[in-house]
Amino acid sequence: HMQRLRRDFVENVPKDELPPRGNYLFLGTTGSGKTYLTEMLFRDILKVPTVVADVTRCSENGYIGDDVQMLLSELYEAADQSRGWASCGVVFLDEFDKLAASRSSARFAGEGSTKDVSGFGVQRSLLILLSGQSSPFPTDFGFSGQGQRVIMPLRNLMFIACGAFSGLKEISEMNEASARIGFDAKASPESDDALISRIGTELLENTKAFSNYGILPELLGRFSRLVPFQPLGEEVMRQILEDILIDNYTREFKSEGVELIIGEDVIEHVVKGAKSRETGARGLRASLVPHLKEAAFKTFGHDSDGRVLLKVVKGEVVAEIDAVA
């Protein structure tokens, strides 16, 4: 993305010699760092206009709710209302997999051509943004169709969509399985009951699985690359726990005059608990906080200094509290 901007605005390379702009689709389990990576890279390091938007709040034109052009309005505001600078930015479509439309046969005829307030309707609206050259957008955040609109150039704007796509692997396996019953049926291989599964190349290339999941094939084709995010390993989760969560809670307890000490056995216990939750880095906080709540309740607000030591006793985390009046 940055190379394209440099070649376009610094080196003045002719527009027809520039490669097509790239859009990316990030797939990975919850808590694997998709949103965090995008915010850190583009907003904090490269410092280009960046919008992280929950795409599920968008609805098709004509219904109450934000339409996809409001994403450009947010980018316009993030660029201090500079249309040229905004056109060099990045729009991050969070929860993209939640736009998947149902393909139930119980729905009425003409499903692919009639309006709906989610699913295919929003997906069709995204087609022009991901591949068009320009698009109008409102300069305010009202719902009036008669408000002022400005044309946003899209040739240098990059879109990154992300989603967990839970159940995509199962849909892919169902497509490959032969629908036979009786004596001729083949025994299905044993499947892993874990929610988290690694995303391989064969799954990324299975367009039919995405279509059955509820994503329009032509929308999927707008993404130049599909990037898999694998589940975090124990070493990475341990580093996140020590460098971020424990450090933050230690400072919080210190501000209340309490020294917080967390043993190595507790760290290992919390990491394993978070891994069993299968929610990635988000599971670390859920595994650690319950052990700190009671200690905070007994120590916060006292005038005298105290100390809290967390340790594992018989497989359970216990808190020893000393010197609290």
Side-chain angles (χ1 to χ4, degrees):
H1 179 64
M2 301 305 294
Q3 286 179 348
R4 179 183 174 87
L5 296 180
R6 174 175 54 83
R7 295 182 64 187
D8 190 0
F9 297 102
V10 179
E11 301 176 359
N12 294 321
V13 176
K15 304 298 186 291
D16 56 351
E17 296 182 10
L18 292 174
R21 65 187 177 105
N23 300 308
Y24 295 86
L25 176 58
F26 292 171
L27 301 91
T29 57
T30 179
S32 58
K34 302 182 294 296
T35 306
Y36 177 77
L37 174 64
T38 302
E39 289 182 319
M40 179 181 65
L41 178 60
F42 292 103
R43 177 181 295 171
D44 301 332
I45 298 178
L46 298 177
K47 297 187 182 300
V48 296
T50 306
V51 167
V52 178
D54 185 351
V55 75
T56 58
R57 62 181 171 83
C58 295
S59 61
E60 192 173 8
N61 293 338
Y63 292 91
I64 295 299
D66 292 345
D67 57 25
V68 295
Q69 276 71 31
M70 296 299 292
L71 300 172
L72 302 181
S73 302
E74 294 184 25
L75 191 64
Y76 180 70
E77 292 296 326
D80 295 328
Q81 297 186 352
S82 172
R83 186 183 61 170
W85 184 221
S87 66
C88 300
V90 176
V91 177
F92 188 79
L93 306 175
D94 203 5
E95 305 295 347
F96 180 77
D97 57 321
K98 307 307 185 293
L99 291 180
S102 172
R103 289 184 176 272
S104 171
S105 59
R107 297 186 60 175
F108 51 83
E111 170 189 5
S113 59
T114 53
K115 287 192 171 215
D116 60 342
V117 295
S118 62
F120 285 139
V122 179
Q123 291 185 45
R124 286 193 296 265
S125 300
L126 286 172
L127 290 176
I128 185 62
L129 292 186
L130 269 65
S131 62
Q133 294 298 315
S134 63
S135 176
F137 71 95
T139 55
D140 58 10
F141 290 91
F143 296 104
S144 174
Q146 305 300 322
Q148 181 182 4
R149 290 181 177 266
V150 179
I151 301 297
M152 172 79 74
L154 300 177
R155 58 186 177 88
N156 288 321
L157 187 61
M158 184 170 67
F159 286 84
I160 299 176
C162 90
F165 285 90
S166 303
L168 180 63
K169 184 177 181 180
E170 288 74 10
I171 291 177
S172 176
E173 293 174 350
M174 289 176 59
N175 294 336
E176 297 175 359
S178 57
R180 289 188 176 184
I181 60 175
F183 295 105
D184 293 336
K186 295 181 180 180
S188 59
E190 295 183 0
S191 59
D192 190 1
D193 292 334
L195 296 176
I196 294 178
S197 59
R198 298 185 67 85
I199 300 176
T201 306
E202 67 284 351
L203 182 58
L204 297 180
E205 296 177 351
N206 193 340
T207 305
K208 184 178 180 181
F210 283 95
S211 179
N212 290 338
Y213 192 87
I215 303 297
L216 288 172
E218 51 268 38
L219 179 60
L220 188 65
R222 261 49 173 202
F223 295 100
S224 56
R225 186 178 178 188
L226 277 62
V227 182
F229 278 63
Q230 306 301 349
L232 299 180
E234 290 189 9
E235 289 299 324
V236 177
M237 296 177 67
R238 181 187 180 93
Q239 185 177 1
I240 294 174
L241 178 63
E242 293 177 343
D243 295 347
I244 300 178
L245 292 180
I246 291 181
D247 187 58
N248 289 342
Y249 284 119
T250 300
R251 289 199 302 268
E252 183 177 354
F253 272 74
K254 186 177 180 180
S255 65
E256 294 288 339
V258 180
E259 180 185 7
L260 176 64
I261 302 174
I262 299 179
E264 288 292 326
D265 52 348
V266 177
I267 294 177
E268 183 177 354
H269 181 84
V270 170
V271 169
K272 291 186 178 299
K275 187 176 181 180
S276 65
R277 288 175 178 264
E278 302 187 47
T279 52
R282 290 189 175 94
L284 292 172
R285 187 183 302 273
S287 299
L288 179 62
V289 168
H291 308 305
L292 298 175
K293 291 173 65 175
E294 185 175 355
F297 177 76
K298 293 181 179 179
T299 57
F300 283 16
H302 294 273
D303 295 333
S304 61
D305 296 336
R307 188 183 74 136
V308 174
L309 172 62
L310 290 185
K311 61 181 181 179
V312 178
V313 178
K314 296 181 180 180
E316 298 290 336
V317 177
V318 297
E320 289 186 355
I321 303 174
D322 299 327
V324 175

